[in-house]
Amino acid sequence: MNKRYIFKYIISFVFLLFINLSWSQKDSLQIAEKDSLKPRLINSIRVGVDLSRPITQLIQKQDIGLEVTTDIRLKNNWYLAADFGYESEPTEEDYIHIHSKGSYTKLGFNYNAYENLKGMNNEVYVGMRYGFSSFQQELISYSALDFDNYFGEYFANPNTTFDGLTAHWAALHFGLKVETLPNLYLSVGVHFKKLLGDKKPEGFDNLYIPGFGSVLLNNNAVGFNYTISYLIPLSKKIIKQN
Amino acid sequence: MSKGFTFFIVVIILFFTGSCEVDDICTKEILTPKLILTFHDASDIETRKEVDTLTVWADNKENFYNKTKTDSIAIPLDMNNDVVHYNFVSNSILDTFQIHYDRKDVFVSRSCGYKMNFTLLNETELTQNWVHDFEIKTQNIENEQTVHIQIYH
């Protein structure tokens, strides 16, 4: 379990370095092109995929998942956001082994708090999401603890699947979006999530909820994303910049 | 950013504050309970009476208590079987205890996994050599705070 988190952190740091590099590159490009550029604040839709899932899958073969993210620029600095995804994730704790599968939707908005130089389209954003997940959990095995260990351990292999589980939550997103090539964005973000409600399996609990993640103490969860996305202009209408 | 928006963000952050710890720690109190037995005076069952040299073991196992002077013991039940045979020896006299029970797995938490609860069955038998009689006081073994069986001697 710990090893998996370490991998995720290493990948995220490497990715951050990568983004910084591309950012500085962008600056020099911008100066050269500056004259020909008008403020490009046009009405647009941006579609992307979360790369963190496929990267994790290379290391942890059983972690399967895909998240598609979209956002639409409503007005200056405000974006309507919707993310859709599927996850199939095993969770192996010391005395319990489960596998969660399901799909989820997150709806909300992003606010860009970064003031760009003229002609640049980078973002430092904060956002909120309402998330909803429909999933199943398979209880593969568990052991019951006895501190004396006089008779030896008890181990069970029930292979029970709990179907029709649901959960909904609120999330706070922070992150960076950098336009590395024209209309191509790389972004990295962290998410803090709070479970608002869930349908629990009888005699068991929801340990991993697709889209939400591992349910921590106080029903909290943390997540992150590295997303590559492409901006598709919808209209030529130029949104007034301030 | 406007003041209003900053305030809004602060409120949201407060909403999300909380620890990111995975779970609580597993302690004896929340895990598989042991069978609690108390020893009483056969002529006055309200009064506890100590056993002078009590040795307790389950068949084919090491001693769980060895020549102990006590008026109560806590012994584990076998989680992989519905019956367990215990031997109680006091002053070189042997009594055998055949404990029958039903088992039930109960989910505790992510980091503690499961525990097991037991229900004592009436087939439970105790030979009467140094022991006079016994009585099941609590059928359901869910914690170690209650006395499950009283033994009169």
Side-chain angles (χ1 to χ4, degrees), chain A residues 34-87:
Chain A
K34 209 171 177 179
D35 297 341
S36 62
L37 277 176
K38 287 173 186 169
R40 287 196 331 194
L41 291 175
I42 45 176
N43 206 357
S44 60
I45 182 165
R46 194 160 34 190
V47 181
V49 284
D50 185 359
L51 295 177
S52 69
R53 282 272 138 204
I55 292 169
T56 317
Q57 208 174 320
L58 291 177
I59 302 156
Q60 306 280 339
K61 298 271 186 242
Q62 279 188 293
D63 300 19
I64 298 160
L66 184 73
E67 183 175 297
V68 175
T69 62
T70 59
D71 62 48
I72 297 173
R73 185 168 218 160
L74 285 184
K75 53 180 188 173
N76 188 33
N77 291 335
W78 288 92
Y79 297 81
L80 196 67
D83 312 321
F84 310 94
Y86 173 83
E87 267 190 301

Side-chain angles (χ1 to χ4, degrees), chain B residues 15-121:
Chain B
F15 171 72
F16 282 98
T17 43
S19 52
C20 286
E21 289 161 50
V22 167
D23 218 317
D24 40 22
I25 310 154
C26 307
T27 60
K28 275 187 177 183
E29 287 72 37
I30 59 169
L31 292 177
T32 305
K34 284 191 284 232
L35 178 70
I36 308 291
L37 300 132
T38 52
F39 295 95
H40 296 252
D41 192 335
S43 54
D44 175 15
I45 59 168
E46 297 299 315
T47 316
R48 293 236 197 146
K49 185 181 159 190
E50 286 187 332
V51 182
D52 287 337
T53 56
L54 182 67
T55 303
V56 176
W57 75 95
D59 283 359
N60 307 317
K61 295 281 173 187
E62 297 161 16
N63 286 354
F64 199 74
Y65 285 92
N66 195 7
K67 291 178 180 166
T68 316
K69 189 177 160 73
T70 181
D71 67 352
S72 66
I73 57 170
I75 52 175
L77 298 178
D78 189 348
M79 292 193 282
N80 288 298
N81 282 302
D82 289 330
V83 61
V84 64
H85 298 265
Y86 266 103
N87 303 290
F88 289 9
V89 169
S90 173
N91 296 320
S92 304
I93 309 169
L94 172 75
D95 267 314
T96 58
F97 204 174
Q98 216 179 92
I99 310 166
H100 291 263
Y101 48 86
D102 282 338
R103 297 170 288 154
K104 192 175 186 244
D105 299 356
V106 180
F107 176 72
V108 180
S109 66
R110 171 194 293 274
S111 52
C112 305
Y114 275 70
K115 69 176 238 180
M116 195 176 275
N117 284 346
F118 307 95
T119 306
L120 287 170
L121 300 176

Side-chain angles (χ1 to χ4, degrees), chain B residues 122-133:
Chain B
N122 293 327
E123 291 104 290
T124 299
E125 280 174 2
L126 178 57
T127 58
Q128 290 166 6
N129 296 320
W130 64 270
V131 170
H132 190 258
D133 201 2

